[in-house]
Amino acid sequence: LGYRADKRAQEFKLGRPLTVGVTVPDLTNPFFSEVLKGLAAAARAGGYRLLIGESGEDPAEELRLVEELVDHSGALVLCSSRLNRAGLEKALALPVPVVCINRTVKNAGVVAIDYRAASRILLEHLTGLGHRRILYVGGPATSWSDGERRRTLRRTARSLDVTLDEIE
């Protein structure tokens, strides 16, 4: 007969939305498509769906998305957030749980790589192979993970007496 259940009514009965809002800085980056694939599978398994917003690497746009997504979501996932400290504090003050992927943040769930350890191990491995000059191709200036890698590579390069060249 073409009947369709009213999702909003179901969510009202449950007392929470069955949608998870997700922000990503760049949908063309293959890292985020893999993250979204995993998030979508987990959401489906739990009876949830994703609502995805792309910020175009713009922190102001990301904050606008966060404030909009919270109206339609029971939780937020911020992938590689470009928000500054004040923006993150605004996001964490919203009335939904927040998980940050690829960025460590107090008072939020976090899924992150230990970029400090990984960068140190990488540089030690390369110098162990005899390399004395390393080129780092960096990411966006607003990227938390890029900052973590850069700082650690610089510090480790100095301690190993290695030349570290950097390009954007």
Side-chain angles (χ1 to χ4, degrees):
L1 298 172
Y3 171 78
R4 291 181 54 175
D6 186 336
K7 289 287 187 192
R8 289 176 297 222
Q10 290 174 336
E11 290 173 345
F12 181 75
K13 183 179 176 186
L14 288 171
R16 59 184 164 76
L18 295 173
T19 303
V20 176
V22 182
T23 65
V24 294
D26 180 2
L27 283 171
T28 63
N29 183 326
F31 173 80
F32 300 118
S33 60
E34 289 299 313
V35 169
L36 289 172
K37 224 164 113 175
L39 282 173
R44 268 192 310 278
Y48 289 82
R49 60 191 175 277
L50 300 181
L51 186 56
I52 301 164
E54 182 202 33
S55 67
E57 299 280 354
D58 179 3
E61 175 64 10
E62 182 179 350
L63 186 57
R64 190 190 66 70
L65 285 169
V66 164
E67 291 171 343
E68 194 173 301
L69 287 170
V70 75
D71 292 335
H72 307 284
S73 306
L76 294 174
V77 176
L78 309 179
C79 291
S80 295
S81 178
R82 304 308 194 222
L83 293 174
N84 61 20
R85 186 180 311 266
L88 280 171
E89 287 174 4
K90 283 183 183 179
L92 294 175
L94 295 169
V96 297
V98 176
V99 173
C100 292
I101 295 179
N102 208 28
R103 181 162 180 184
T104 58
V105 178
K106 290 181 183 175
N107 304 319
V110 173
V111 178
I113 296 167
D114 186 346
Y115 287 106
R116 291 178 184 171
S119 298
R120 194 171 38 256
I121 290 167
L122 173 66
L123 206 50
E124 289 168 353
H125 173 73
L126 291 172
T127 57
L129 295 173
H131 299 286
R132 306 306 302 161
R133 187 170 183 183
I134 309 296
L135 175 65
Y136 175 68
V137 180
T142 55
S143 169
W144 172 84
S145 55
D146 181 68
E148 291 289 296
R149 287 188 296 266
R150 278 182 196 273
R151 283 187 293 278
T152 302
L153 288 171
R154 288 171 184 162
R155 191 171 31 254
T156 306
R158 279 192 302 271
S159 72
L160 296 173
D161 196 29
V162 172
T163 301
L164 178 68
D165 294 318
E166 301 176 43
I167 60 172
E168 299 299 316

mmCIF file of all heavy atoms in Angstrom, residues 6-12 14-23 36 39-40 42-44 46-53 65-66 68-78 95-99:
data_model
loop_
_atom_site.group_PDB
_atom_site.id
_atom_site.type_symbol
_atom_site.label_atom_id
_atom_site.label_comp_id
_atom_site.label_asym_id
_atom_site.label_seq_id
_atom_site.Cartn_x
_atom_site.Cartn_y
_atom_site.Cartn_z
ATOM 1 N N ASP A 6 6.937 6.858 9.931
ATOM 2 C CA ASP A 6 7.401 8.222 10.177
ATOM 3 C C ASP A 6 8.592 8.157 11.131
ATOM 4 O O ASP A 6 8.435 7.883 12.319
ATOM 5 C CB ASP A 6 6.270 9.047 10.784
ATOM 6 C CG ASP A 6 6.633 10.515 10.942
ATOM 7 O OD1 ASP A 6 7.843 10.836 11.023
ATOM 8 O OD2 ASP A 6 5.706 11.336 10.991
ATOM 9 N N LYS A 7 9.791 8.396 10.596
ATOM 10 C CA LYS A 7 11.016 8.316 11.401
ATOM 11 C C LYS A 7 10.996 9.323 12.548
ATOM 12 O O LYS A 7 11.479 9.048 13.638
ATOM 13 C CB LYS A 7 12.258 8.563 10.530
ATOM 14 C CG LYS A 7 12.560 7.447 9.576
ATOM 15 C CD LYS A 7 13.102 6.254 10.321
ATOM 16 C CE LYS A 7 13.552 5.205 9.328
ATOM 17 N NZ LYS A 7 13.821 3.940 9.973
ATOM 18 N N ARG A 8 10.455 10.508 12.301
ATOM 19 C CA ARG A 8 10.407 11.512 13.367
ATOM 20 C C ARG A 8 9.549 11.040 14.521
ATOM 21 O O ARG A 8 9.877 11.258 15.686
ATOM 22 C CB ARG A 8 9.924 12.847 12.820
ATOM 23 C CG ARG A 8 10.963 13.517 11.932
ATOM 24 C CD ARG A 8 10.399 14.766 11.363
ATOM 25 N NE ARG A 8 9.259 14.367 10.534
ATOM 26 C CZ ARG A 8 8.966 14.862 9.350
ATOM 27 N NH1 ARG A 8 9.710 15.802 8.857
ATOM 28 N NH2 ARG A 8 7.945 14.442 8.656
ATOM 29 N N ALA A 9 8.452 10.353 14.220
ATOM 30 C CA ALA A 9 7.589 9.818 15.277
ATOM 31 C C ALA A 9 8.324 8.728 16.054
ATOM 32 O O ALA A 9 8.226 8.658 17.283
ATOM 33 C CB ALA A 9 6.298 9.273 14.684
ATOM 34 N N GLN A 10 9.077 7.889 15.352
ATOM 35 C CA GLN A 10 9.856 6.850 16.029
ATOM 36 C C GLN A 10 10.900 7.478 16.948
ATOM 37 O O GLN A 10 11.095 7.032 18.085
ATOM 38 C CB GLN A 10 10.547 5.949 15.005
ATOM 39 C CG GLN A 10 9.604 5.060 14.234
ATOM 40 C CD GLN A 10 10.332 4.294 13.129
ATOM 41 O OE1 GLN A 10 11.386 4.702 12.652
ATOM 42 N NE2 GLN A 10 9.743 3.174 12.727
ATOM 43 N N GLU A 11 11.563 8.498 16.451
ATOM 44 C CA GLU A 11 12.578 9.171 17.252
ATOM 45 C C GLU A 11 11.952 9.852 18.463
ATOM 46 O O GLU A 11 12.508 9.823 19.565
ATOM 47 C CB GLU A 11 13.340 10.189 16.395
ATOM 48 C CG GLU A 11 14.231 9.540 15.353
ATOM 49 C CD GLU A 11 14.859 10.525 14.380
ATOM 50 O OE1 GLU A 11 14.401 11.692 14.313
ATOM 51 O OE2 GLU A 11 15.803 10.118 13.683
ATOM 52 N N PHE A 12 10.777 10.422 18.285
ATOM 53 C CA PHE A 12 10.086 11.073 19.391
ATOM 54 C C PHE A 12 9.735 10.042 20.459
ATOM 55 O O PHE A 12 9.922 10.277 21.652
ATOM 56 C CB PHE A 12 8.819 11.783 18.882
ATOM 57 C CG PHE A 12 8.067 12.498 19.966
ATOM 58 C CD1 PHE A 12 8.546 13.698 20.472
ATOM 59 C CD2 PHE A 12 6.898 11.965 20.483
ATOM 60 C CE1 PHE A 12 7.863 14.355 21.477
ATOM 61 C CE2 PHE A 12 6.210 12.623 21.483
ATOM 62 C CZ PHE A 12 6.692 13.825 21.992
ATOM 63 N N LEU A 14 11.255 7.230 21.053
ATOM 64 C CA LEU A 14 12.499 6.810 21.697
ATOM 65 C C LEU A 14 13.095 7.910 22.581
ATOM 66 O O LEU A 14 13.896 7.635 23.466
ATOM 67 C CB LEU A 14 13.548 6.423 20.648
ATOM 68 C CG LEU A 14 13.319 5.122 19.896
ATOM 69 C CD1 LEU A 14 14.326 4.998 18.754
ATOM 70 C CD2 LEU A 14 13.443 3.931 20.840
ATOM 71 N N GLY A 15 12.750 9.153 22.299
ATOM 72 C CA GLY A 15 13.295 10.267 23.062
ATOM 73 C C GLY A 15 14.652 10.736 22.580
ATOM 74 O O GLY A 15 15.334 11.490 23.264
ATOM 75 N N ARG A 16 15.074 10.271 21.405
ATOM 76 C CA ARG A 16 16.362 10.694 20.854
ATOM 77 C C ARG A 16 16.356 10.473 19.343
ATOM 78 O O ARG A 16 15.731 9.541 18.847
ATOM 79 C CB ARG A 16 17.513 9.940 21.485
ATOM 80 C CG ARG A 16 17.425 8.447 21.290
ATOM 81 C CD ARG A 16 18.550 7.714 22.022
ATOM 82 N NE ARG A 16 18.259 6.311 22.158
ATOM 83 C CZ ARG A 16 18.342 5.402 21.193
ATOM 84 N NH1 ARG A 16 18.691 5.754 19.990
ATOM 85 N NH2 ARG A 16 18.071 4.143 21.432
ATOM 86 N N PRO A 17 17.075 11.328 18.628
ATOM 87 C CA PRO A 17 17.181 11.135 17.178
ATOM 88 C C PRO A 17 18.011 9.896 16.846
ATOM 89 O O PRO A 17 18.907 9.519 17.591
ATOM 90 C CB PRO A 17 17.902 12.392 16.688
ATOM 91 C CG PRO A 17 17.799 13.377 17.793
ATOM 92 C CD PRO A 17 17.687 12.574 19.053
ATOM 93 N N LEU A 18 17.699 9.274 15.735
ATOM 94 C CA LEU A 18 18.448 8.113 15.258
ATOM 95 C C LEU A 18 19.460 8.529 14.187
ATOM 96 O O LEU A 18 19.815 7.748 13.324
ATOM 97 C CB LEU A 18 17.489 7.051 14.712
ATOM 98 C CG LEU A 18 16.567 6.433 15.763
ATOM 99 C CD1 LEU A 18 15.529 5.528 15.108
ATOM 100 C CD2 LEU A 18 17.380 5.666 16.792
ATOM 101 N N THR A 19 19.882 9.768 14.269
ATOM 102 C CA THR A 19 20.824 10.329 13.307
ATOM 103 C C THR A 19 22.078 10.784 14.037
ATOM 104 O O THR A 19 22.003 11.356 15.122
ATOM 105 C CB THR A 19 20.187 11.535 12.585
ATOM 106 O OG1 THR A 19 18.984 11.121 11.958
ATOM 107 C CG2 THR A 19 21.118 12.115 11.553
ATOM 108 N N VAL A 20 23.229 10.530 13.419
ATOM 109 C CA VAL A 20 24.507 11.011 13.928
ATOM 110 C C VAL A 20 25.029 12.026 12.921
ATOM 111 O O VAL A 20 25.185 11.713 11.737
ATOM 112 C CB VAL A 20 25.525 9.853 14.089
ATOM 113 C CG1 VAL A 20 26.887 10.388 14.522
ATOM 114 C CG2 VAL A 20 25.008 8.819 15.085
ATOM 115 N N GLY A 21 25.273 13.237 13.379
ATOM 116 C CA GLY A 21 25.834 14.276 12.520
ATOM 117 C C GLY A 21 27.339 14.125 12.434
ATOM 118 O O GLY A 21 28.003 13.900 13.447
ATOM 119 N N VAL A 22 27.870 14.238 11.231
ATOM 120 C CA VAL A 22 29.310 14.064 11.005
ATOM 121 C C VAL A 22 29.829 15.244 10.192
ATOM 122 O O VAL A 22 29.229 15.607 9.179
ATOM 123 C CB VAL A 22 29.611 12.753 10.232
ATOM 124 C CG1 VAL A 22 31.109 12.559 10.052
ATOM 125 C CG2 VAL A 22 28.982 11.556 10.914
ATOM 126 N N THR A 23 30.935 15.829 10.645
ATOM 127 C CA THR A 23 31.591 16.865 9.842
ATOM 128 C C THR A 23 32.925 16.334 9.340
ATOM 129 O O THR A 23 33.623 15.620 10.047
ATOM 130 C CB THR A 23 31.852 18.158 10.650
ATOM 131 O OG1 THR A 23 32.773 17.893 11.695
ATOM 132 C CG2 THR A 23 30.560 18.734 11.198
ATOM 133 N N LEU A 36 34.223 7.489 6.839
ATOM 134 C CA LEU A 36 32.771 7.534 6.661
ATOM 135 C C LEU A 36 32.189 6.149 6.382
ATOM 136 O O LEU A 36 31.102 5.822 6.849
ATOM 137 C CB LEU A 36 32.392 8.509 5.546
ATOM 138 C CG LEU A 36 32.598 9.982 5.877
ATOM 139 C CD1 LEU A 36 32.381 10.848 4.638
ATOM 140 C CD2 LEU A 36 31.692 10.421 7.016
ATOM 141 N N LEU A 39 32.053 4.475 9.750
ATOM 142 C CA LEU A 39 30.994 5.082 10.557
ATOM 143 C C LEU A 39 29.613 4.656 10.069
ATOM 144 O O LEU A 39 28.727 4.353 10.875
ATOM 145 C CB LEU A 39 31.088 6.606 10.506
ATOM 146 C CG LEU A 39 32.145 7.273 11.364
ATOM 147 C CD1 LEU A 39 32.212 8.763 11.048
ATOM 148 C CD2 LEU A 39 31.857 7.065 12.836
ATOM 149 N N ALA A 40 29.432 4.638 8.758
ATOM 150 C CA ALA A 40 28.132 4.257 8.195
ATOM 151 C C ALA A 40 27.787 2.811 8.547
ATOM 152 O O ALA A 40 26.640 2.510 8.903
ATOM 153 C CB ALA A 40 28.129 4.459 6.679
ATOM 154 N N ALA A 42 28.857 1.060 11.153
ATOM 155 C CA ALA A 42 28.553 0.994 12.587
ATOM 156 C C ALA A 42 27.186 1.608 12.884
ATOM 157 O O ALA A 42 26.420 1.079 13.690
ATOM 158 C CB ALA A 42 29.645 1.694 13.381
ATOM 159 N N ALA A 43 26.882 2.718 12.228
ATOM 160 C CA ALA A 43 25.587 3.367 12.433
ATOM 161 C C ALA A 43 24.445 2.449 11.991
ATOM 162 O O ALA A 43 23.466 2.271 12.727
ATOM 163 C CB ALA A 43 25.537 4.698 11.667
ATOM 164 N N ARG A 44 24.568 1.867 10.815
ATOM 165 C CA ARG A 44 23.536 0.939 10.322
ATOM 166 C C ARG A 44 23.315 -0.207 11.289
ATOM 167 O O ARG A 44 22.192 -0.579 11.580
ATOM 168 C CB ARG A 44 23.928 0.379 8.957
ATOM 169 C CG ARG A 44 23.406 1.152 7.778
ATOM 170 C CD ARG A 44 23.569 0.386 6.460
ATOM 171 N NE ARG A 44 24.901 -0.144 6.243
ATOM 172 C CZ ARG A 44 25.931 0.539 5.766
ATOM 173 N NH1 ARG A 44 25.785 1.803 5.442
ATOM 174 N NH2 ARG A 44 27.104 -0.033 5.585
ATOM 175 N N GLY A 46 23.642 -0.271 14.377
ATOM 176 C CA GLY A 46 22.951 0.189 15.578
ATOM 177 C C GLY A 46 21.600 0.813 15.308
ATOM 178 O O GLY A 46 20.977 1.365 16.223
ATOM 179 N N GLY A 47 21.142 0.777 14.052
ATOM 180 C CA GLY A 47 19.856 1.359 13.717
ATOM 181 C C GLY A 47 19.888 2.864 13.511
ATOM 182 O O GLY A 47 18.855 3.525 13.534
ATOM 183 N N TYR A 48 21.075 3.413 13.300
ATOM 184 C CA TYR A 48 21.232 4.850 13.089
ATOM 185 C C TYR A 48 21.557 5.144 11.632
ATOM 186 O O TYR A 48 21.869 4.249 10.860
ATOM 187 C CB TYR A 48 22.382 5.400 13.955
ATOM 188 C CG TYR A 48 22.056 5.436 15.424
ATOM 189 C CD1 TYR A 48 22.187 4.297 16.215
ATOM 190 C CD2 TYR A 48 21.626 6.606 16.025
ATOM 191 C CE1 TYR A 48 21.884 4.323 17.570
ATOM 192 C CE2 TYR A 48 21.326 6.649 17.376
ATOM 193 C CZ TYR A 48 21.454 5.505 18.139
ATOM 194 O OH TYR A 48 21.155 5.547 19.466
ATOM 195 N N ARG A 49 21.503 6.425 11.298
ATOM 196 C CA ARG A 49 21.921 6.879 9.977
ATOM 197 C C ARG A 49 22.805 8.106 10.169
ATOM 198 O O ARG A 49 22.788 8.742 11.217
ATOM 199 C CB ARG A 49 20.713 7.184 9.094
ATOM 200 C CG ARG A 49 19.799 8.249 9.630
ATOM 201 C CD ARG A 49 18.490 8.309 8.843
ATOM 202 N NE ARG A 49 17.560 9.237 9.422
ATOM 203 C CZ ARG A 49 16.747 8.988 10.435
ATOM 204 N NH1 ARG A 49 16.752 7.820 11.012
ATOM 205 N NH2 ARG A 49 15.915 9.904 10.887
ATOM 206 N N LEU A 50 23.587 8.407 9.142
ATOM 207 C CA LEU A 50 24.501 9.549 9.211
ATOM 208 C C LEU A 50 23.953 10.735 8.453
ATOM 209 O O LEU A 50 23.309 10.579 7.413
ATOM 210 C CB LEU A 50 25.866 9.183 8.609
ATOM 211 C CG LEU A 50 26.639 8.038 9.232
ATOM 212 C CD1 LEU A 50 27.974 7.862 8.505
ATOM 213 C CD2 LEU A 50 26.869 8.252 10.711
ATOM 214 N N LEU A 51 24.244 11.904 8.960
ATOM 215 C CA LEU A 51 23.978 13.155 8.270
ATOM 216 C C LEU A 51 25.341 13.841 8.173
ATOM 217 O O LEU A 51 25.946 14.176 9.195
ATOM 218 C CB LEU A 51 22.989 14.003 9.059
ATOM 219 C CG LEU A 51 22.475 15.285 8.435
ATOM 220 C CD1 LEU A 51 21.840 15.006 7.071
ATOM 221 C CD2 LEU A 51 21.457 15.937 9.351
ATOM 222 N N ILE A 52 25.853 13.991 6.955
ATOM 223 C CA ILE A 52 27.236 14.412 6.740
ATOM 224 C C ILE A 52 27.296 15.837 6.198
ATOM 225 O O ILE A 52 26.562 16.195 5.287
ATOM 226 C CB ILE A 52 27.939 13.450 5.754
ATOM 227 C CG1 ILE A 52 27.896 12.033 6.316
ATOM 228 C CG2 ILE A 52 29.372 13.894 5.475
ATOM 229 C CD1 ILE A 52 28.197 10.962 5.294
ATOM 230 N N GLY A 53 28.208 16.613 6.767
ATOM 231 C CA GLY A 53 28.454 17.962 6.283
ATOM 232 C C GLY A 53 29.934 18.169 6.028
ATOM 233 O O GLY A 53 30.763 17.738 6.817
ATOM 234 N N LEU A 65 28.110 24.233 10.518
ATOM 235 C CA LEU A 65 27.593 22.880 10.312
ATOM 236 C C LEU A 65 27.277 22.188 11.631
ATOM 237 O O LEU A 65 26.234 21.547 11.775
ATOM 238 C CB LEU A 65 28.598 22.033 9.527
ATOM 239 C CG LEU A 65 28.715 22.291 8.039
ATOM 240 C CD1 LEU A 65 29.936 21.563 7.474
ATOM 241 C CD2 LEU A 65 27.453 21.855 7.323
ATOM 242 N N VAL A 66 28.185 22.315 12.587
ATOM 243 C CA VAL A 66 27.979 21.692 13.897
ATOM 244 C C VAL A 66 26.691 22.218 14.526
ATOM 245 O O VAL A 66 25.862 21.448 15.022
ATOM 246 C CB VAL A 66 29.197 21.958 14.821
ATOM 247 C CG1 VAL A 66 28.869 21.678 16.278
ATOM 248 C CG2 VAL A 66 30.383 21.129 14.371
ATOM 249 N N GLU A 68 24.141 23.475 13.081
ATOM 250 C CA GLU A 68 22.986 23.022 12.301
ATOM 251 C C GLU A 68 22.727 21.530 12.508
ATOM 252 O O GLU A 68 21.592 21.102 12.692
ATOM 253 C CB GLU A 68 23.244 23.310 10.821
ATOM 254 C CG GLU A 68 22.034 23.202 9.938
ATOM 255 C CD GLU A 68 22.349 23.678 8.531
ATOM 256 O OE1 GLU A 68 22.759 24.840 8.366
ATOM 257 O OE2 GLU A 68 22.183 22.868 7.612
ATOM 258 N N LEU A 69 23.784 20.727 12.483
ATOM 259 C CA LEU A 69 23.635 19.279 12.633
ATOM 260 C C LEU A 69 23.067 18.893 13.991
ATOM 261 O O LEU A 69 22.345 17.906 14.108
ATOM 262 C CB LEU A 69 24.983 18.576 12.413
ATOM 263 C CG LEU A 69 25.493 18.518 10.983
ATOM 264 C CD1 LEU A 69 26.940 18.030 10.948
ATOM 265 C CD2 LEU A 69 24.614 17.622 10.130
ATOM 266 N N VAL A 70 23.405 19.651 15.036
ATOM 267 C CA VAL A 70 22.939 19.294 16.372
ATOM 268 C C VAL A 70 21.411 19.337 16.452
ATOM 269 O O VAL A 70 20.809 18.615 17.252
ATOM 270 C CB VAL A 70 23.601 20.179 17.456
ATOM 271 C CG1 VAL A 70 23.001 21.574 17.480
ATOM 272 C CG2 VAL A 70 23.506 19.516 18.817
ATOM 273 N N ASP A 71 20.769 20.131 15.615
ATOM 274 C CA ASP A 71 19.302 20.203 15.608
ATOM 275 C C ASP A 71 18.657 18.946 15.038
ATOM 276 O O ASP A 71 17.462 18.733 15.213
ATOM 277 C CB ASP A 71 18.831 21.420 14.797
ATOM 278 C CG ASP A 71 19.193 22.731 15.460
ATOM 279 O OD1 ASP A 71 19.369 22.753 16.697
ATOM 280 O OD2 ASP A 71 19.312 23.744 14.738
ATOM 281 N N HIS A 72 19.437 18.128 14.344
ATOM 282 C CA HIS A 72 18.892 16.947 13.684
ATOM 283 C C HIS A 72 19.573 15.654 14.113
ATOM 284 O O HIS A 72 19.350 14.608 13.505
ATOM 285 C CB HIS A 72 19.040 17.091 12.160
ATOM 286 C CG HIS A 72 18.466 18.363 11.626
ATOM 287 N ND1 HIS A 72 17.122 18.565 11.467
ATOM 288 C CD2 HIS A 72 19.064 19.529 11.270
ATOM 289 C CE1 HIS A 72 16.903 19.784 11.017
ATOM 290 N NE2 HIS A 72 18.067 20.392 10.884
ATOM 291 N N SER A 73 20.424 15.726 15.128
ATOM 292 C CA SER A 73 21.253 14.571 15.472
ATOM 293 C C SER A 73 21.243 14.301 16.971
ATOM 294 O O SER A 73 21.129 15.219 17.780
ATOM 295 C CB SER A 73 22.700 14.814 15.028
ATOM 296 O OG SER A 73 22.755 15.157 13.664
ATOM 297 N N GLY A 74 21.431 13.031 17.300
ATOM 298 C CA GLY A 74 21.545 12.638 18.696
ATOM 299 C C GLY A 74 22.985 12.602 19.160
ATOM 300 O O GLY A 74 23.258 12.420 20.348
ATOM 301 N N ALA A 75 23.930 12.760 18.241
ATOM 302 C CA ALA A 75 25.354 12.775 18.555
ATOM 303 C C ALA A 75 26.094 13.419 17.391
ATOM 304 O O ALA A 75 25.559 13.494 16.274
ATOM 305 C CB ALA A 75 25.875 11.356 18.790
ATOM 306 N N LEU A 76 27.312 13.863 17.665
ATOM 307 C CA LEU A 76 28.135 14.471 16.621
ATOM 308 C C LEU A 76 29.489 13.778 16.561
ATOM 309 O O LEU A 76 30.056 13.419 17.592
ATOM 310 C CB LEU A 76 28.374 15.960 16.903
ATOM 311 C CG LEU A 76 27.174 16.891 16.845
ATOM 312 C CD1 LEU A 76 27.580 18.292 17.294
ATOM 313 C CD2 LEU A 76 26.604 16.937 15.441
ATOM 314 N N VAL A 77 29.993 13.620 15.338
ATOM 315 C CA VAL A 77 31.351 13.122 15.111
ATOM 316 C C VAL A 77 32.069 14.188 14.302
ATOM 317 O O VAL A 77 31.619 14.543 13.206
ATOM 318 C CB VAL A 77 31.344 11.778 14.358
ATOM 319 C CG1 VAL A 77 32.773 11.332 14.059
ATOM 320 C CG2 VAL A 77 30.591 10.707 15.140
ATOM 321 N N LEU A 78 33.165 14.691 14.851
ATOM 322 C CA LEU A 78 33.955 15.712 14.167
ATOM 323 C C LEU A 78 35.225 15.039 13.651
ATOM 324 O O LEU A 78 36.103 14.686 14.429
ATOM 325 C CB LEU A 78 34.307 16.859 15.121
ATOM 326 C CG LEU A 78 33.153 17.476 15.916
ATOM 327 C CD1 LEU A 78 33.675 18.576 16.833
ATOM 328 C CD2 LEU A 78 32.074 17.984 14.999
ATOM 329 N N PRO A 95 24.105 20.020 23.578
ATOM 330 C CA PRO A 95 23.448 18.982 24.390
ATOM 331 C C PRO A 95 23.470 17.576 23.775
ATOM 332 O O PRO A 95 22.510 16.822 23.922
ATOM 333 C CB PRO A 95 22.014 19.510 24.492
ATOM 334 C CG PRO A 95 21.804 20.239 23.208
ATOM 335 C CD PRO A 95 23.137 20.876 22.895
ATOM 336 N N VAL A 96 24.547 17.220 23.090
ATOM 337 C CA VAL A 96 24.680 15.871 22.517
ATOM 338 C C VAL A 96 26.107 15.379 22.754
ATOM 339 O O VAL A 96 27.025 16.175 22.887
ATOM 340 C CB VAL A 96 24.377 15.851 20.989
ATOM 341 C CG1 VAL A 96 22.941 16.240 20.695
ATOM 342 C CG2 VAL A 96 25.345 16.740 20.227
ATOM 343 N N PRO A 97 26.290 14.060 22.787
ATOM 344 C CA PRO A 97 27.659 13.545 22.885
ATOM 345 C C PRO A 97 28.459 13.908 21.635
ATOM 346 O O PRO A 97 27.923 13.948 20.532
ATOM 347 C CB PRO A 97 27.467 12.029 22.970
ATOM 348 C CG PRO A 97 26.034 11.795 23.230
ATOM 349 C CD PRO A 97 25.287 13.010 22.769
ATOM 350 N N VAL A 98 29.762 14.166 21.824
ATOM 351 C CA VAL A 98 30.648 14.519 20.714
ATOM 352 C C VAL A 98 31.850 13.585 20.728
ATOM 353 O O VAL A 98 32.435 13.344 21.782
ATOM 354 C CB VAL A 98 31.134 15.989 20.824
ATOM 355 C CG1 VAL A 98 32.127 16.323 19.720
ATOM 356 C CG2 VAL A 98 29.952 16.944 20.804
ATOM 357 N N VAL A 99 32.190 13.068 19.551
ATOM 358 C CA VAL A 99 33.386 12.258 19.373
ATOM 359 C C VAL A 99 34.258 12.951 18.339
ATOM 360 O O VAL A 99 33.765 13.375 17.292
ATOM 361 C CB VAL A 99 33.037 10.826 18.894
ATOM 362 C CG1 VAL A 99 34.297 10.044 18.545
ATOM 363 C CG2 VAL A 99 32.231 10.092 19.949
#
